[in-house]
Amino acid sequence: MDVIVGSESHLEQMEKLVSSWYKDGTLPESFIWPPDSRPGKLAAAPSCKNIPVIDLGGAEGGDHTYIIHQILEASQEFGFFQVINHGISDTLLSDTMSVLKEFFELPLEDKASVYSEDPQKSCKLFSSSVNYDAEDVHLWRDVLRHPCHPLVECLQDWPQQPSRYRELVGTCSTQVKKLALNVLELISEGLGLGTGYFRNELSQNLILSVNHYPPCPDPSLTLGLTKHCDPNLITILMQEDHVNGLQVFKDGEWMGVEPISHALVVNIGYQLHIISNGKLKSSEHRAVTNPCNARTSAGFFVAPSYVCVVEPARALVSASNPQLYKSFQYEEFLRNFNTMVFEGKSEFAMESFKLQT
Ligand code: OGA
Ligand code: NI
């Protein structure tokens, strides 16, 4: 009897997932954002072609210097770029996206074993930004989040359904990690930090966050994800074809990041901004919804280990370039970041790590 009661209340809790009820066609008040943060007409803004698309095909050969130049320029100007010819096969990307979409289409009962709103649980399907019961306004999304590294240690906690989930996401995450390390190597060279600067504790963790944004009756009033910068080192994001949603804030305007088939979006996280002593930019971005199509995106977050000490690279600090941030443990940064997100003040997440100059 206990078991049944327990599982009923677990299923009841799952009503917090937007995917469990959005088909009733309503936009509950608790999803309506205040006027200054809702997207309004910009929810339907067309995507923009300005964000650089970088061909990594020649990274090993003669184009090496040019590719580094493009990556550095995009990271300074936009904090965002897309990569093509990145070495991950089109088939693997398409199959992985399909299996992630299939996961969210499974009946609620099949997702129950991974559902949890417990912040301590590492692999989970959940609905909140930080704390569902305590937050004023909810996001129009469900998330599946779990670590991907070391693979053998985390694999057994991942969803067992769809049946190819572990195989595809395992292979894809291994290849994304390799790609991220290659991009970091190019950045390291571009910054003048030599080789292998990031190939250590700074890039030890890989977390996958699969965002699922169901179709929404009024995208002008709500958000899939509020304006934020990523707290980690660097993020590789896989977008679904043909469905807009990701927007970057640049020069006071929101720009849509065009979904390009088999391209991957790369963005600079706060840790890379700090290590570069402010040279590379972490840009604010958000996700908007649309009334027609569900949208799924997969963010692979490369992050330092929790105990890793992060600080501006010594080689980038000089009398004319004073150190802008203090050194700290990544865990401390993350704790502060999560508090700031919860309080709706994520744009101030860097304040307590800045040095007076
Ligand atoms: C994120 C993120 C954007 C998207 O998960 O941090 O910015 O398009 N996602 O889902
Ligand atoms: Ni983000």
Side-chain angles (χ1 to χ4, degrees):
M1 194 60 192
D2 271 344
V3 174
I4 294 167
V5 171
S7 67
E8 266 175 5
S9 69
H10 192 63
L11 278 179
E12 262 165 37
Q13 276 227 18
M14 289 181 80
E15 294 293 318
K16 290 173 181 166
L17 295 172
V18 179
S19 56
S20 72
W21 54 262
Y22 79 94
K23 284 191 179 134
D24 72 16
T26 61
L27 177 67
E29 194 131 349
S30 58
F31 286 81
I32 300 181
W33 284 79
D36 59 342
S37 46
R38 57 175 81 145
K41 283 200 203 91
L42 293 177
S47 61
C48 136
K49 308 249 181 232
N50 291 359
I51 291 171
V53 178
I54 302 176
D55 184 346
L56 292 184
E60 310 285 322
D63 287 346
H64 189 80
T65 313
Y66 180 55
I67 292 170
I68 292 177
H69 171 78
Q70 285 178 297
I71 291 181
L72 260 281
E73 208 162 71
S75 306
Q76 290 176 79
E77 171 87 9
F78 293 86
F80 265 81
F81 54 93
Q82 306 210 46
V83 290
I84 55 171
N85 288 322
H86 40 60
I88 305 181
S89 83
D90 291 358
T91 318
L92 179 61
L93 289 179
S94 306
D95 290 355
T96 305
M97 183 48 85
S98 301
V99 90
L100 296 176
K101 286 176 72 68
E102 272 168 49
F103 170 82
F104 285 98
E105 282 155 16
L106 291 171
L108 229 44
E109 293 76 13
D110 291 343
K111 292 182 281 199
S113 62
V114 279
Y115 174 78
S116 171
E117 300 285 342
D118 176 0
Q120 304 303 326
K121 203 160 178 264
S122 73
C123 173
K124 61 180 187 242
L125 167 66
F126 63 107
S127 61
S128 59
S129 58
V130 179
N131 181 335
Y132 191 92
D133 294 321
E135 69 203 15
D136 291 334
V137 192
H138 305 307
L139 297 174
W140 192 271
R141 71 151 187 188
D142 298 337
V143 201
L144 172 66
R145 184 173 296 165
H146 60 64
C148 299
H149 186 82
L151 198 53
V152 278
E153 279 172 34
C154 40
L155 206 64
Q156 69 264 21
D157 293 330
W158 291 7
Q160 281 180 287
Q161 289 187 68
S163 57
R164 294 192 68 201
Y165 185 97
R166 292 181 178 184
E167 170 210 337
L168 286 167
V169 177
T171 309
C172 194
S173 62
T174 306
Q175 297 202 12
V176 166
K177 173 109 199 232
K178 220 173 105 195
L179 168 64
L181 286 171
N182 288 341
V183 172
L184 286 167
E185 199 63 42
L186 296 167
I187 289 177
S188 168
E189 230 186 294
L191 287 171
L193 298 175
T195 55
Y197 191 88
F198 298 101
R199 216 171 262 277
N200 47 42
E201 261 191 297
L202 286 170
S203 60
Q204 183 168 302
N205 281 337
L206 182 64
I207 313 283
L208 170 60
S209 207
V210 191
N211 301 295
H212 179 72
Y213 311 99
C216 173
D218 191 346
S220 72
L221 298 176
T222 193
L223 281 161
L225 204 43
T226 50
K227 181 165 93 171
H228 69 283
C229 289
D230 292 350
N232 52 300
L233 187 68
I234 196 166
T235 306
I236 310 260
L237 184 93
M238 198 163 120
Q239 297 206 79
E240 180 173 349
D241 287 352
H242 309 300
V243 193
N244 291 329
L246 174 60
Q247 299 184 333
V248 177
F249 198 60
K250 164 104 169 77
D251 301 329
E253 281 183 60
W254 285 104
M255 309 174 32
V257 182
E258 186 189 17
I260 301 175
S261 213
H262 306 118
L264 293 163
V265 179
V266 181
N267 67 290
I268 306 297
Y270 273 144
Q271 305 313 306
L272 202 41
H273 170 80
I274 290 168
I275 293 165
S276 70
N277 201 32
K279 193 163 181 199
L280 308 185
K281 183 169 163 183
S282 295
S283 282
E284 289 180 312
H285 53 284
R286 69 182 183 186
V288 294
T289 62
N290 79 82
C292 307
N293 300 298
R295 173 171 179 267
T296 303
S297 69
F300 290 90
F301 296 86
V302 178
S305 68
Y306 295 114
V307 295
C308 180
V309 173
V310 180
E311 61 188 7
R314 296 281 153 87
L316 301 178
V317 173
S318 64
S320 54
N321 265 316
Q323 183 171 344
L324 297 179
Y325 299 95
K326 66 176 191 178
S327 69
F328 52 85
Q329 270 193 338
Y330 183 57
E331 187 175 30
E332 185 194 340
F333 186 92
L334 213 51
R335 209 176 319 115
N336 177 68
F337 178 82
N338 287 333
T339 308
M340 292 297 193
V341 169
F342 178 65
E343 292 174 358
K345 299 191 290 204
S346 78
E347 65 260 49
F348 300 112
M350 300 288 265
E351 290 308 310
S352 49
F353 300 91
K354 281 185 183 157
L355 290 173
Q356 306 295 336
T357 50

